[in-house]
Amino acid sequence: MYVQVDVKPSSGSMVEIELVATNTGSNLALHWGALQPGRSEWVVPPAGIRLPEGTIRTPDDAALRTPFKNSGSNSTLKIEIDNQGLESIEFVIVDEAQNKWFKNNGQNFQVHMRPPAGHHHQGQQHSATAGSIGRKNRDVMQLLSKNASTNDQVNKAAEATPSKCTVLDLFIKSLQEKHGSQVLCKKVFKLGEKEILALMSQVQGSTKVHLATDHVEPLILHWALAQKPGEWKAPPPGIVPAGSTLLEIACESPFSDAELNGLHYQVLEIELDDDSYKGMPFVLRSNQTWIKNSTSDFYLDFSRRTAKSSEVTLPFSFSPILAKNLLQKSSQNPMLIFFPCIKGTSDDSKGTAKALLERIADLEEDAQRSLMHRFNIAADLVDQAKDAGQLGLAGLLVWMKFMATRQLIWNKNYNVKPREISQAQDRFTDNLQSLYKMYPQHREMLRMIMYTVGRGGQGDVGQRIRDEILVIQRNNNCMGGMMEEWHQKLHNNTSPDDVVICQALMDYMNSDLDIKVYWDTLNKNGITKERLLSYDHPIHSEPNLKSEQKEGLLHDLTNYMRSLKAVHSGADLESAIGTCTGYTSESQGFMVGVEVNPVKGLPSGFPELLKFVLDHIEDKSVESLVEGLLEARAALRPLLLSSTERLKDLIFLDIALDSTVRTAIERSFENLNNASSEKIMYFISLVVENLALSTDDNENLLCCLKGWNHALEMSKHSDDQWALYAKAFLDRTRLALATKGEEYHDILQPSAEYLGSLLGIEQWTVNIFTEEIIRSGSAASLSLLLNRLDPVLRNVANLGSWQIISPVDVAGYVVVVDQLLTVQHKSYDKPTILVVEGVKGEEEIPDGVVAVLTPDMPDVLSHVSVRARNSKVLFATCFDPKILSELEQNEGKVLSLKPASVDISYREIPESELLVSSSIDTVDGQKAPSLSLAKKQFLGKYAISAEEFSDEMVGAKSRNIAYLNGKVPSWVSVPTSVALPFGTFETVLSDKINKEVSQKVKILTEKLDQGELGALSEIRNVLLNLTAPTYLVSELKEKMQSSGMPWPGDEGEQRWEQAWTAIKKVLASKWNERAYLSTRKVKLDHSNLSMAVLVQQIVSADYAFVIHTTNPSSGERSEIYAEVVKGLGETLVGAYPGRAMSFVCSKNNLESPKVLGYPSKPIGLFIQKSIIFRSDSNGEDLEGYAGAGLYDSVPMDKEEQVVLDYTTDPLVTDCSFRTSTLSSIARAGYDIEQLYGGSPQDIEGVVKDGKIYIVQTRPQIGGEELEVDELLDLQQLRRHILDHLRVYLVVVGVVVEVRRDGCVVGDTTHAAAAPLDCSPNIPILSSPAAARLGSHPAAALGGEAGCESSSRDAVH
């Protein structure tokens, strides 16, 4: 319901207030009064008011009640006021038929009748949603949670500071070193500020229990032995220590004083005589004071010890429960053969808390006795799970989820009172609550565990389940049949099934006793007739109730459901609200006088907010409900982050609110079928907020939320960029969901698989475990909403269904793979079209592949994108899941693909049509080309300045930077550079101080030559042990300082060591897997690859960019294409997820860049003053190899990773700033291209405080092709230049290739020249080819006729 209020001046001082309520019922009334300035009491009835028809006073004379008049679906009311002493009216709205009160977020609505003095009043309009709440205007970042990263820093600090060795540590060390003891199991317990260590050891066939403590007062050990859990059995007299006293079921033994390294402690040793004991229970006595483990006995568990060396250990073992499950299955079907799991193998248990999972498996048989036993065992295992960290909690979650989904037995031949179950539940969740307070980084995992368990409760909460069913039977005369059978089950073993049974009974009665409805409800929730019969107290009968029992039973069962859900449901909203806000159960027969007090410290207006939520829980239109739920979660959040009293109750309330958001959103999907894009975006923003409130490290999600809110504002203001902007945040949100899914899979799935194998869980359940965890949260709903919006945005932004990264017509066989990474070094023996789910950006294109089609979104300038264009491979991103699915269904077929600008057409063709021209070398019998690379020699210098750069000393990366210096426009800068030249690495390795390293590298290289690829990582690690010769250090220091660069060693020896480590990592990158396999692929002799290191001072960038001066996607030479990221460029050229901002700019209009896509990269890298060491090999620009990007560039200091908020980034939000910055980037690219005679360039640079810095440029591979009729004879061109030069010029390395298709490629990238002195009278070449062939500084080529100044600029 929406209420609009209009305030209009009438004649004289009369003011008319009109209220219009839309989408209302027929019984609305205004409950109201007037206010005087500075007063809070209502004036009733105020003078000067014409009371509308039907207005009455309330019985207490405190307010007026005026009915609305109905008009169609609207209700209206008009009030006229002629009293200048009144300031405003206050009101709430009442639905008298349903006794519902609508407030303004718990407060009264207020309407001012007159503006402040001095303001001209034309009329006011107010609007509010009656039946909605007003969201507080809070900063989204107030919801920020970064516990994970904070904890990482704490852990690192802890690792850096070694802990002090305690006397108990010394005691263990003494046992192991002096006595040769093997520690079989151990446990440390807290004794206030002191500790007691209990451990079992084995030495020379003797098994002993040792207890040691730093407790000061003399102690007596009151102990026993146990052969089953919970047992106290007096030990045999022959093993009790001296001075002991044997009792009926225990023994008392005194501790002895001892000392280690001057530290006092007490110790006791017990030698066991029997291997059948399962553990040792004990308590301590100090004088007359008994000391326990909190409220329980201490217990040393022997069952976790390892097998004795003399025992024969089978290669596998059965957990008791698995053995029993397998026997049961075998007896049911003798034809089935079950192979036992391999328990404890490294492969099965990798990525798990192995010891905890095996302990759970050992205890599962006992846990199946009842839910009380299961929850008590779980409570006992919480400490062990905590000690194992996140993987330990993951193990508990998996176990509880298997239980909640009925994969494990809940009860077996054991009668337990409901209150005992709820108390055990309460104990378990109390332990989880303690961890929630102590370990913020694990709160998300702990919430998920609590969701599967339910709240439980002490005393009356569980007992009410038992007592209330009796009252229901008496009140409604249903003492026999199904109700009695259910009562017997409840009396002995209540379970979450009872919630479903209760709901089925209510549905049955609401359907006029239709028994089909009863069974439908049971079956939909996984309860079959067989399951009902499997209970210890089975339910054989169907309900057979009478219509006259309906009203009373429905009333009583509705109340009873609260008790059931309070114990068994972690996500029931009504019971969670009642527990936190308090209630008294006063219904007749229902535990009269039972009272639950409200949680202290709830936010102001919070109970009213929760009442609003409950009042609207069934609304068909869910927007107001979801807003209320999210407002409640946001208000609750500060309490959840503090050590609040009754924190557990608040956690369960938050879980229930979260779950209700999800169900409400899912309920709204049908109504969103024809919804506007704005409405879908609004729903997306609501679900993103809900997900952020449930996530530990939520900064990225909050930045997504801010982006969606901004997109909504852009859409409302008809910004023509809104759809393109929203698409970027859609991509970023999808990426966040994918990242979260991968995180869950990595943490949970290994535990699900290992524990599932130990417990004999059905394989299909294990396979979908993580998927089901994700489906149970908001992420699944969010994904569906994103899928609905995506085609709308692509249509509005004219994006089409594809982004074509490398446009090539191809034909081949369709092959579907999951990740390109897994097949990047495979060779396909026929033309292959890969349909790939995941592409990161750093992969290679496999041999034989003619196309890569993916839903993933690597940058257009990523490594794999460049590789695809260089290799003439079709590479494209598909945004439409339906199209991708159709392509996958064509696996094995031959397709012909033809890309257009934003689309790809395809058709199936017969194999006979597959053109030879589209096949690969291996198909027509040709081998991959073999390239040669001349090994560079060390020329006697360990460090050189930019003036000394030459092709014999450094690679093209360094030479191009040196060439640009002093030639670029004044508004463009080039960082100062020095280099470690070719041969430096080999010379350092051969130095006598590195003899040991050299020998290891030689051995590993021999292994590598024999095909052992594992040697690559070993070589890299060994090279990190290189020592820098003193002459290298002194030469590099001198060159850096003389070039004006800071010397790291001036800041201390540690800083130089950081620099040297970075240099070694660059040199070692020659042996990274991708680079090595790339050289092998083209038959390049890896030993001839030489590595120079370019040293530059890092510019602390605001933005980084890569420019291609010919559009790589379209091949359009008149158009510049560039990509920009916030921060350093590693997120652009490295395998960082998400997209950069992309734009194109016509070379004829550099002032008007056109944005193609806004950024979706969640992470930016930033660094302060530092130095970067860049790889510069002699193979990076080798034609046919394309080695650029294969080797590492390493900064001296670690970059800071920052989650990016694009709503505060002027490049995204400020059109003027964006145009200016992108235009400057494009102009820099154009000017550099002109310096290279118009040859297309691949340029990297940064923007800092508006200034452009160029850090490297190289020829844009594949960007320069000449038609035959444009080609000038190169010999004629050479003679033309030489005839008009005053200084002799030598040009070498000119290569021309005439391809089959008649296209001629000219490459002068390896030309070298002596310095030239140009005469202003040199004739200008008029051929376009002449200008285009001048692609290198050494080729003195001119431009078009009449462009004399450009010609002179091109000749140096």
Side-chain angles (χ1 to χ4, degrees):
M1 177 173 63
Y2 190 85
V3 178
Q4 181 169 304
V5 183
D6 286 321
V7 181
K8 303 175 183 177
S10 187
S11 57
S13 59
M14 181 78 71
V15 174
E16 180 181 285
I17 301 175
E18 183 178 17
L19 296 93
V20 179
T22 60
N23 302 318
T24 66
S26 58
N27 295 281
L28 288 187
L30 194 74
H31 185 89
W32 64 287
L35 289 176
Q36 296 173 332
R39 303 289 298 276
S40 59
E41 301 83 14
W42 285 7
V43 179
V44 178
I49 294 184
R50 299 176 187 174
L51 295 179
E53 182 180 349
T55 300
I56 60 171
R57 289 173 180 257
T58 57
D60 58 0
D61 279 340
L64 299 172
R65 183 74 63 86
T66 303
F68 281 74
K69 292 183 178 179
N70 297 321
S71 176
S73 62
N74 295 342
S75 300
T76 62
L77 189 154
K78 186 181 294 184
I79 304 172
E80 294 181 343
I81 299 177
D82 188 8
N83 184 340
Q84 294 189 359
L86 299 178
E87 182 181 67
S88 59
I89 66 165
E90 276 194 356
F91 65 92
V92 293
I93 296 174
V94 186
D95 185 333
E96 295 182 318
Q98 300 185 46
N99 194 29
K100 282 188 176 181
W101 293 71
F102 301 114
K103 289 189 171 186
N104 183 18
N105 195 22
Q107 306 297 319
N108 297 331
F109 294 98
Q110 189 176 90
V111 176
H112 290 274
M113 292 180 288
R114 293 177 176 82
H119 286 256
H120 182 60
H121 185 86
Q122 290 289 340
Q124 303 174 58
Q125 188 177 81
H126 305 263
S127 65
T129 305
S132 73
I133 54 96
R135 297 294 308 271
K136 287 186 178 178
N137 187 23
R138 62 172 61 82
D139 181 1
V140 165
M141 300 313 289
Q142 289 179 358
L143 307 178
L144 178 65
S145 173
K146 294 184 72 172
N147 294 314
S149 57
T150 301
N151 187 63
D152 288 343
Q153 293 170 3
V154 171
N155 288 342
K156 287 175 184 175
E159 289 168 7
T161 309
S163 57
K164 186 178 179 181
C165 196
T166 68
V167 68
L168 301 185
D169 296 327
L170 295 173
F171 174 73
I172 295 175
K173 188 177 180 181
S174 172
L175 279 179
Q176 292 172 326
E177 292 181 354
K178 294 182 180 179
H179 307 291
S181 299
Q182 177 191 1
V183 176
L184 301 179
C185 61
K186 67 175 181 177
K187 181 75 175 177
V188 176
F189 303 95
K190 286 287 184 182
L191 301 178
E193 295 183 359
K194 303 297 183 179
E195 293 178 331
I196 184 168
L197 165 71
L199 67 80
M200 174 184 279
S201 74
Q202 187 180 66
V203 57
Q204 297 178 352
S206 175
T207 303
K208 297 181 180 181
V209 173
H210 307 266
L211 296 105
T213 177
D214 55 357
H215 193 273
V216 177
E217 299 295 328
L219 288 176
I220 300 293
L221 181 73
H222 185 90
W223 62 286
L225 294 171
Q227 292 181 321
K228 59 183 180 180
E231 182 180 47
W232 276 71
K233 185 177 180 181
I239 71 168
V240 299
S244 298
T245 303
L246 267 174
L247 307 174
E248 184 178 351
I249 61 169
C251 179
E252 290 196 342
S253 305
F255 280 79
S256 302
D257 289 335
E259 188 176 296
L260 274 172
N261 289 7
L263 298 174
H264 170 79
Y265 68 105
Q266 299 183 65
V267 67
L268 180 62
E269 181 181 293
I270 302 167
E271 184 169 349
L272 301 179
D273 66 339
D274 191 341
D275 214 22
S276 66
Y277 301 120
K278 299 295 184 183
M280 188 179 92
F282 64 94
V283 294
L284 301 167
R285 183 161 53 83
S286 176
N287 296 321
Q288 299 305 312
T289 302
W290 289 94
I291 302 172
K292 303 187 77 177
N293 184 21
S294 185
T295 57
S296 305
D297 298 335
F298 297 101
Y299 187 77
L300 178 61
D301 185 357
F302 297 166
S303 63
R304 290 172 58 191
R305 55 183 157 168
T306 59
K308 295 181 181 179
S309 58
S310 60
E311 294 177 346
V312 177
T313 304
L314 296 176
F316 57 83
S317 63
F318 294 99
S319 68
I321 186 62
L322 176 58
K324 188 160 290 188
N325 284 352
L326 296 183
L327 287 172
Q328 289 172 350
K329 291 176 182 178
S330 299
S331 64
Q332 294 163 7
N333 187 348
M335 298 301 294
L336 290 178
I337 299 175
F338 292 93
F339 292 93
C341 64
I342 307 301
K343 181 178 178 181
T345 62
S346 59
D347 289 341
D348 289 345
S349 61
K350 186 177 181 181
T352 73
K354 178 175 180 286
L356 172 67
L357 298 186
E358 292 178 354
R359 181 69 180 137
I360 288 172
D362 290 340
L363 295 170
E364 175 58 30
E365 188 171 21
D366 191 45
Q368 291 186 357
R369 295 165 70 189
S370 74
L371 289 177
M372 178 196 75
H373 290 82
R374 185 175 298 280
F375 292 138
N376 275 327
I377 290 170
D380 292 338
L381 291 174
V382 165
D383 270 351
Q384 188 178 348
K386 175 201 70 178
D387 293 342
Q390 189 176 47
L391 292 180
L393 296 176
L396 273 187
L397 173 60
V398 168
W399 186 37
M400 289 296 105
K401 190 69 175 177
F402 283 157
M403 180 263 314
T405 54
R406 303 188 182 94
Q407 296 299 313
L408 301 173
I409 295 171
W410 286 355
N411 182 264
K412 186 169 58 182
N413 303 321
Y414 202 94
N415 294 335
V416 180
K417 297 181 180 65
R419 73 159 176 263
E420 292 173 331
I421 295 175
S422 67
Q423 286 173 346
Q425 220 171 341
D426 200 49
R427 177 174 169 243
F428 181 32
T429 52
D430 275 346
N431 289 352
L432 296 175
Q433 172 188 255
S434 298
L435 296 188
Y436 190 96
K437 292 179 180 179
M438 294 168 59
Y439 302 97
Q441 70 273 22
H442 295 320
R443 284 174 176 165
E444 187 175 342
M445 188 76 70
L446 290 163
R447 278 171 53 92
M448 289 193 285
I449 300 172
M450 295 172 84
Y451 176 83
T452 65
V453 173
R455 188 174 64 88
Q458 288 285 356
D460 68 287
V461 178
Q463 187 61 28
R464 284 205 306 274
I465 291 176
R466 192 177 186 182
D467 295 342
E468 288 174 5
I469 189 65
L470 289 169
V471 178
I472 291 173
Q473 289 181 279
R474 280 200 307 269
N475 285 353
N476 297 281
N477 192 25
C478 50
M479 300 299 294
M482 178 266 169
M483 291 297 290
E484 177 58 26
E485 290 170 357
W486 186 34
H487 162 232
Q488 291 301 322
K489 177 197 179 300
L490 290 161
H491 191 79
N492 292 286
N493 273 296
T494 181
S495 70
D497 280 3
D498 295 315
V499 177
V500 180
I501 295 170
C502 187
Q503 187 63 54
L505 282 170
M506 291 191 290
D507 292 347
Y508 160 70
M509 287 180 287
N510 278 321
S511 65
D512 293 326
L513 309 181
D514 185 347
I515 197 64
K516 291 182 179 178
V517 173
Y518 169 78
W519 285 111
D520 282 348
T521 300
L522 290 178
N523 293 335
K524 285 177 183 175
N525 290 278
I527 298 181
T528 62
K529 185 174 291 187
E530 291 73 21
R531 184 166 182 82
L532 294 176
L533 293 173
S534 72
Y535 300 140
D536 287 339
H537 290 269
I539 299 177
H540 298 276
S541 308
E542 294 180 333
N544 185 20
L545 301 168
K546 300 175 181 178
S547 57
E548 55 265 29
Q549 294 172 301
K550 174 180 175 180
E551 184 177 350
L553 266 174
L554 277 174
H555 174 269
D556 290 352
L557 286 175
T558 299
N559 286 317
Y560 189 53
M561 182 68 94
R562 292 180 183 175
S563 296
L564 289 172
K565 286 184 174 180
V567 172
H568 294 303
S569 175
D572 177 63
L573 185 60
E574 187 175 0
S575 65
I577 289 175
T579 302
C580 290
T581 59
Y583 67 89
T584 302
S585 182
E586 296 176 346
S587 300
Q588 183 179 358
F590 277 82
M591 305 295 290
V592 175
V594 170
E595 185 172 351
V596 175
N597 294 321
V599 174
K600 295 178 182 178
L602 292 176
S604 175
F606 193 64
E608 292 82 3
L609 181 56
L610 296 178
K611 183 179 184 304
F612 169 87
V613 166
L614 290 177
D615 287 345
H616 294 272
I617 201 75
E618 300 296 334
D619 285 1
K620 187 174 181 181
S621 177
V622 302
E623 286 180 64
S624 297
L625 169 63
V626 174
E627 289 171 351
L629 290 163
L630 291 175
E631 187 61 29
R633 293 198 70 193
L636 193 59
R637 187 171 181 80
L639 296 179
L640 295 173
L641 300 179
S642 60
S643 296
T644 310
E645 185 182 353
R646 289 176 61 186
L647 176 62
K648 181 173 72 174
D649 292 335
L650 297 177
I651 296 170
F652 277 111
L653 173 58
D654 189 57
I655 290 171
L657 292 167
D658 176 15
S659 179
T660 309
V661 171
R662 179 177 57 80
T663 55
I665 292 293
E666 290 173 355
R667 194 168 78 235
S668 72
F669 280 159
E670 187 176 345
N671 295 334
L672 291 175
N673 283 337
N674 299 308
S676 67
S677 54
E678 282 187 12
K679 187 164 188 176
I680 298 174
M681 284 197 292
Y682 181 60
F683 268 79
I684 287 172
S685 71
L686 295 176
V687 184
V688 170
E689 181 179 354
N690 191 58
L691 192 58
L693 286 166
S694 304
T695 303
D696 277 346
D697 195 1
N698 65 4
E699 188 173 9
N700 185 30
L701 285 170
L702 293 178
C703 289
C704 288
L705 176 59
K706 293 182 73 175
W708 285 111
N709 291 340
H710 189 65
L712 269 169
E713 290 302 311
M714 291 174 70
S715 177
K716 289 175 182 177
H717 291 90
S718 301
D719 189 313
D720 61 3
Q721 296 281 294
W722 78 266
L724 203 59
Y725 178 88
K727 180 65 170 72
F729 278 94
L730 185 146
D731 293 341
R732 179 170 179 176
T733 307
R734 269 185 176 157
L735 181 60
L737 291 181
T739 302
K740 196 66 183 174
E742 289 173 5
E743 178 187 320
Y744 278 169
H745 186 275
D746 292 345
I747 295 170
L748 299 177
Q749 195 62 30
S751 294
E753 291 173 1
Y754 188 54
L755 186 59
S757 72
L758 296 176
L759 299 180
I761 303 296
E762 293 181 271
Q763 191 59 47
W764 69 268
T765 303
V766 172
N767 292 343
I768 63 170
F769 183 86
T770 304
E771 181 181 338
E772 289 303 307
I773 288 285
I774 294 170
R775 286 181 188 276
S776 66
S778 296
S781 303
L782 180 55
S783 182
L784 289 172
L785 288 171
L786 296 175
N787 289 342
R788 289 197 179 193
L789 184 62
D790 194 355
V792 176
L793 297 181
R794 285 191 280 107
N795 182 53
V796 174
N798 298 314
L799 294 176
S801 298
W802 294 85
Q803 181 180 22
I804 314 299
I805 298 171
S806 174
V808 184
D809 291 1
V810 299
Y813 295 84
V814 176
V815 174
V816 179
V817 298
D818 183 49
Q819 298 290 324
L820 184 59
L821 187 67
T822 61
V823 297
Q824 64 175 332
H825 299 304
K826 183 175 179 178
S827 291
Y828 292 90
D829 60 1
K830 52 188 176 182
T832 300
I833 297 168
L834 286 184
V835 181
V836 188
E837 180 64 28
V839 177
K840 301 299 183 186
E842 285 291 283
E843 302 92 337
E844 294 292 326
I845 304 290
D847 285 341
V849 169
V850 296
V852 177
L853 310 176
T854 178
D856 227 332
M857 296 173 289
D859 290 308
V860 173
L861 302 182
S862 66
H863 176 83
V864 71
S865 300
V866 173
R867 283 290 182 277
R869 288 191 292 270
N870 293 348
S871 305
K872 297 296 184 284
V873 170
L874 171 61
F875 187 30
T877 293
C878 180
F879 298 114
D880 191 329
K882 292 181 180 178
I883 294 176
L884 205 67
S885 177
E886 289 172 3
L887 285 166
E888 289 172 348
Q889 290 168 17
N890 282 287
E891 185 166 20
K893 297 178 181 178
V894 180
L895 296 186
S896 170
L897 307 180
K898 292 186 177 296
S901 58
V902 291
D903 201 3
I904 292 179
S905 61
Y906 64 91
R907 64 185 178 90
E908 185 178 357
I909 61 173
E911 288 186 90
S912 58
E913 261 188 60
L914 193 59
L915 300 178
V916 175
S917 60
S918 67
S919 66
I920 58 170
D921 290 342
T922 54
V923 173
D924 57 20
Q926 298 179 26
K927 295 182 178 180
S930 180
L931 302 179
S932 61
L933 192 62
K935 186 175 181 67
K936 298 293 184 178
Q937 301 301 315
F938 182 60
L939 299 182
K941 293 186 177 181
Y942 289 92
I944 56 175
S945 62
E947 293 77 16
E948 300 171 275
F949 290 177
S950 70
D951 63 347
E952 292 302 316
M953 301 282 276
V954 292
K957 185 183 296 182
S958 299
R959 298 199 307 275
N960 285 331
I961 279 295
Y963 170 72
L964 287 179
N965 201 15
K967 298 180 180 66
V968 292
S970 59
W971 51 274
V972 176
S973 292
V974 178
T976 303
S977 305
V978 301
L980 303 178
F982 292 140
T984 299
F985 162 68
E986 290 80 4
T987 306
V988 169
L989 183 62
S990 65
D991 194 290
K992 61 183 180 181
I993 61 173
N994 291 309
K995 181 178 179 180
E996 185 178 343
V997 174
S998 179
Q999 289 173 341
K1000 289 181 180 179
V1001 170
K1002 182 179 179 181
I1003 293 170
L1004 291 170
T1005 302
E1006 290 171 356
K1007 286 184 178 181
L1008 186 61
D1009 292 340
Q1010 294 168 6
E1012 295 185 32
L1013 295 181
L1016 288 168
S1017 61
E1018 293 184 67
I1019 292 173
R1020 294 197 301 273
N1021 289 331
V1022 167
L1023 289 176
L1024 295 181
N1025 296 316
L1026 280 172
T1027 300
T1030 54
Y1031 31 83
L1032 181 150
V1033 178
S1034 61
E1035 284 190 34
L1036 181 59
K1037 177 180 179 180
E1038 188 274 324
K1039 291 297 181 184
M1040 289 180 70
Q1041 290 180 333
S1042 63
S1043 299
M1045 297 175 67
W1047 170 244
D1050 289 343
E1051 301 175 46
E1053 185 62 25
Q1054 182 184 358
R1055 293 291 286 164
W1056 159 246
E1057 286 301 326
Q1058 280 182 253
W1060 176 235
T1061 298
I1063 292 169
K1064 289 185 287 188
K1065 288 180 179 179
V1066 175
L1067 298 171
S1069 70
K1070 174 180 173 179
W1071 282 272
N1072 74 58
E1073 282 79 3
R1074 189 159 56 91
Y1076 177 79
L1077 292 171
S1078 293
T1079 60
R1080 196 171 70 171
K1081 182 177 177 180
V1082 296
K1083 306 293 192 299
L1084 195 66
D1085 188 344
H1086 185 260
S1087 63
N1088 285 344
L1089 191 127
S1090 300
M1091 185 74 72
V1093 180
L1094 175 64
V1095 185
Q1096 293 178 321
Q1097 194 166 358
I1098 289 181
V1099 178
S1100 181
D1102 299 323
Y1103 304 99
F1105 58 80
V1106 172
I1107 306 168
H1108 278 187
T1109 59
T1110 289
N1111 190 328
S1113 296
S1114 65
E1116 180 57 58
R1117 294 181 57 84
S1118 65
E1119 194 170 65
I1120 290 172
Y1121 176 89
E1123 292 186 348
V1124 186
V1125 294
K1126 194 166 179 61
L1128 299 176
E1130 181 58 26
T1131 59
L1132 180 54
V1133 299
Y1136 283 79
R1139 282 279 180 84
M1141 173 178 277
S1142 59
F1143 72 96
V1144 292
C1145 193
S1146 170
K1147 293 176 183 177
N1148 296 324
N1149 186 7
L1150 295 171
E1151 302 302 321
S1152 301
K1154 177 186 177 183
V1155 174
L1156 300 179
Y1158 284 93
S1160 62
K1161 287 185 179 291
I1163 296 295
L1165 297 178
F1166 295 86
I1167 200 168
Q1168 297 304 315
K1169 180 181 176 183
S1170 189
I1171 293 169
I1172 189 167
F1173 301 90
R1174 300 182 185 275
S1175 61
D1176 191 22
S1177 77
N1178 61 338
E1180 291 190 39
D1181 294 296
L1182 181 65
E1183 185 185 4
Y1185 174 51
L1190 287 177
Y1191 307 100
D1192 295 343
S1193 295
V1194 183
M1196 191 173 83
D1197 298 283
K1198 186 174 177 58
E1199 306 98 329
E1200 178 189 5
Q1201 285 198 2
V1202 176
V1203 177
L1204 297 175
D1205 179 3
Y1206 291 114
T1207 64
T1208 60
D1209 182 359
L1211 192 66
V1212 174
T1213 60
D1214 186 330
C1215 181
S1216 176
F1217 179 86
R1218 179 169 62 248
T1219 300
S1220 172
T1221 301
L1222 300 187
S1223 179
S1224 296
I1225 292 170
R1227 183 171 295 282
Y1230 176 79
D1231 287 347
I1232 290 171
E1233 183 185 61
Q1234 294 308 300
L1235 284 175
Y1236 286 86
S1239 173
Q1241 294 293 298
D1242 174 355
I1243 304 164
E1244 295 180 22
V1246 300
V1247 181
K1248 175 65 176 175
D1249 297 331
K1251 189 173 182 64
I1252 305 292
Y1253 293 82
I1254 301 299
V1255 297
Q1256 73 176 64
T1257 185
R1258 54 177 167 255
Q1260 181 179 332
I1261 299 176
E1264 182 177 18
E1265 296 188 352
L1266 304 177
E1267 298 300 328
V1268 173
D1269 59 1
E1270 288 184 339
L1271 183 63
L1272 216 72
D1273 179 80
L1274 289 178
Q1275 296 299 326
Q1276 180 184 348
L1277 175 61
R1278 183 179 296 162
R1279 286 194 299 272
H1280 177 87
I1281 296 173
L1282 293 176
D1283 287 345
H1284 296 84
L1285 290 177
R1286 295 176 181 169
V1287 179
Y1288 179 71
L1289 167 67
V1290 177
V1291 181
V1292 295
V1294 180
V1295 179
V1296 176
E1297 177 189 359
V1298 182
R1299 299 195 322 212
R1300 294 181 191 173
D1301 57 7
C1303 188
V1304 180
V1305 181
D1307 181 3
T1308 60
T1309 58
H1310 299 290
L1316 305 178
D1317 180 14
C1318 300
S1319 165
N1321 299 318
I1322 294 178
I1324 304 304
L1325 300 174
S1326 59
S1327 167
R1332 291 171 61 182
L1333 284 169
S1335 61
H1336 192 277
L1341 306 180
E1344 299 286 350
C1347 302
E1348 190 167 341
S1349 59
S1350 298
S1351 166
R1352 295 193 191 105
D1353 289 342
V1355 181
H1356 298 280

